[in-house]
Amino acid sequence: MANVAVMATTNNNHPTTTSRWNMSSLRSSLPPIPPTSASSLRFTRPSPTTLRISRVKSQSLLPSFTGLRPLPIFAPPSEFSGFDHGFTVIDNGGRVYAMRHGRKVPKLNRPPDQRKALIRGLTTQLLKYGRIKTTRARASAIRKYVDKMITLAKDGSLHKRRQALGFIYEKQIVHALFAEVQERYGERNGGYTRIIRTLPRRGDNAPMAYIELV
Amino acid sequence: MSRPLEPLSVGRVIGEVVDIFNPSVRMNVTYSTKQVANGHELMPSIVMNKPRVDIGGEDMRSAYTLIMTDPDAPSPSDPHLREHLHWMVTDIPGNEIVEYENPKPVIGIHRYVFILFKQRGRQTVRSPSSRDNFNTRRFSQENNLGLPVAAVYFNAQRETAARRR
């Protein structure tokens, strides 16, 4: 949990969680909130300093825990501007299990033909635009195929070009890729993409990520 | 890597735009109601006008320079015009030497970076010749600005870009 959370709080020792949505850590670290400071929290949400000060004060009288009722006030998930700027959500996307034993292929909730089409489309778009925003599962699923396409382009022979043309939907992207990949990724061995996790999507709270060419 | 710098290095602002620095000044950039947070996405309609920049001032004597650039110009897959300068203000609060140009991300998702430098003295910073092919490192060397003291960035894409799948 320690390495997952990124909170850009510059000048403040924030007493609460490192990972936002772990309930046990939230419960154990939150101080009991006297009702007055709770209401002041609600109204002064936009200004970060009062938020911080009230938390630090009540942190000192920790011992008795008045239950979970005050918690929802801290909860507002969308208000990251309440903390210092630069707060990025790094959590594990709601993944409940810690293990991945035996899971070789990401199925993406689709039958195989649609899955292939989705992956082809996403890699085409990524090669075309350089940075796209999709769900985390899709972003990590297309990494392999983007790297494959770049490796084909690095090889550069006609056979590889035709293989790439069979995968990528737009042929000018293939030709542009074959033309520029040498100077761009000539020295890099693998790892041609980068995934940056970001805020969840509003409509269905799907964990989103930017995937970009390195 | 210290915690405030992690989003900047994950988003490759440290690395492509500036080098590792020590953030010593608090800086808040706000576009009307939306505050800029590292890596969050804003709509071009919101960023059309100049933002309000609050700089946590310890002393009012030192002058600061704020630079806003786009390191993914014209497109993140082919940034041959890296970087594009959008705004430069020196001797804060003071001269706006390069006028605010509102971000127009035509292709792909662009990062827009705000970098704050501390000036050694007043009126030491010259305005650059062109907005394109701007290099923040070279500019700070030429004008003796040293390492930045604060940085923040946001993402933006075209208003009409495909968002849901």
Side-chain angles (χ1 to χ4, degrees):
Chain A
M1 205 167 57
N3 62 339
V4 235
V6 176
M7 288 218 297
T9 57
T10 52
N11 53 352
N12 149 40
N13 42 347
H14 216 272
T16 54
T17 60
T18 49
S19 157
R20 274 184 65 83
W21 301 118
N22 192 318
M23 275 314 285
S24 53
S25 77
L26 200 61
R27 276 183 218 165
S28 59
S29 63
L30 274 181
I33 310 159
T36 53
S37 74
S39 53
S40 73
L41 273 174
R42 234 198 315 255
F43 293 118
T44 59
R45 188 171 36 78
S47 70
T49 48
T50 45
L51 188 74
R52 250 177 263 136
I53 290 173
S54 62
R55 279 194 188 179
V56 169
K57 261 202 304 213
S58 44
Q59 174 79 354
S60 56
L61 35 108
L62 192 48
S64 76
F65 182 61
T66 58
L68 297 177
R69 191 181 37 83
L71 270 179
I73 300 169
F74 274 146
S78 55
E79 222 32 73
F80 297 112
S81 57
F83 302 89
D84 217 335
H85 70 268
F87 182 88
T88 311
V89 174
I90 304 284
D91 59 2
N92 62 7
R95 211 176 49 176
V96 187
Y97 309 106
M99 297 171 273
R100 195 191 54 101
H101 293 188
R103 298 193 211 165
K104 295 195 179 176
V105 166
K107 296 233 192 110
L108 301 176
N109 291 326
R110 277 170 170 77
D113 51 347
Q114 281 189 36
R115 193 186 311 150
K116 185 168 179 196
L118 174 66
I119 290 177
R120 284 173 70 182
L122 282 173
T123 60
T124 306
Q125 300 285 310
L126 178 60
L127 292 171
K128 181 173 178 183
Y129 292 112
R131 180 180 292 130
I132 59 175
K133 181 177 177 183
T134 70
T135 66
R136 285 184 204 170
R138 291 178 199 165
S140 64
I142 66 171
R143 280 181 300 177
K144 169 179 168 184
Y145 295 93
V146 175
D147 287 354
K148 264 190 159 41
M149 289 300 115
I150 295 184
T151 309
L152 288 182
K154 269 185 160 180
D155 187 295
S157 65
L158 173 64
H159 180 52
K160 299 284 188 282
R161 189 182 289 256
R162 286 185 173 167
Q163 283 185 317
L165 282 168
F167 188 86
I168 293 181
Y169 282 127
E170 297 177 32
K171 67 179 190 175
Q172 55 181 158
I173 295 179
V174 173
H175 296 318
L177 181 69
F178 273 66
E180 68 163 22
V181 85
Q182 272 305 335
E183 37 126 334
R184 202 158 160 196
Y185 296 120
E187 281 108 36
R188 196 181 282 268
N189 289 324
Y192 308 110
T193 60
R194 171 181 300 131
I195 294 188
I196 301 175
R197 292 170 283 182
T198 184
L199 290 174
R201 185 158 59 187
R202 182 175 164 256
D204 55 359
N205 205 32
M208 300 296 277
Y210 289 106
I211 177 168
E212 60 184 31
L213 295 172
V214 150
Chain B
M1 185 78 52
S2 65
R3 290 162 69 174
L5 289 182
E6 268 184 71
L8 293 173
S9 64
V10 166
R12 298 315 295 160
V13 168
I14 293 182
E16 286 175 7
V17 184
V18 291
D19 298 312
I20 298 182
F21 63 94
N22 230 333
S24 49
V25 176
R26 184 186 60 89
M27 171 168 72
N28 279 336
V29 184
T30 313
Y31 278 99
S32 45
T33 51
K34 305 259 185 203
Q35 189 179 7
V36 170
N38 273 325
H40 289 189
E41 186 164 331
L42 296 174
M43 303 280 283
S45 55
I46 299 179
V47 304
M48 270 207 301
N49 302 311
K50 273 184 239 188
R52 181 190 151 79
V53 181
D54 288 318
I55 300 181
E58 324 84 25
D59 51 279
M60 302 299 294
R61 290 166 299 148
S62 57
Y64 294 98
T65 301
L66 176 78
I67 300 180
M68 175 179 174
T69 62
D70 171 11
D72 303 316
S75 139
S77 60
D78 181 28
H80 56 266
L81 295 178
R82 161 172 294 171
E83 315 149 9
H84 183 88
L85 179 68
H86 278 276
W87 196 28
M88 193 183 309
V89 189
T90 55
D91 299 335
I92 285 175
N95 315 332
E96 181 182 1
I97 56 180
V98 178
E99 272 188 11
Y100 184 77
E101 179 190 0
N102 61 333
K104 285 192 208 58
V106 178
I107 307 178
I109 304 177
H110 293 229
R111 295 166 290 173
Y112 294 98
V113 188
F114 291 94
I115 310 169
L116 191 70
F117 289 99
K118 187 164 180 164
Q119 287 173 226
R120 316 274 177 192
R122 299 203 150 251
Q123 315 227 329
T124 48
V125 182
R126 290 179 359 254
S127 88
S129 40
S130 81
R131 285 182 185 253
D132 282 336
N133 281 313
F134 182 76
N135 191 318
T136 312
R137 285 192 184 100
R138 195 191 61 211
F139 185 79
S140 90
Q141 264 185 349
E142 281 174 2
N143 291 283
N144 218 354
L145 291 169
L147 288 177
V149 293
V152 76
Y153 81 102
F154 67 93
N155 291 324
Q157 50 180 318
R158 239 178 51 204
E159 290 271 356
T160 52
R163 275 180 163 76
R164 318 257 313 163
R165 215 155 346 151

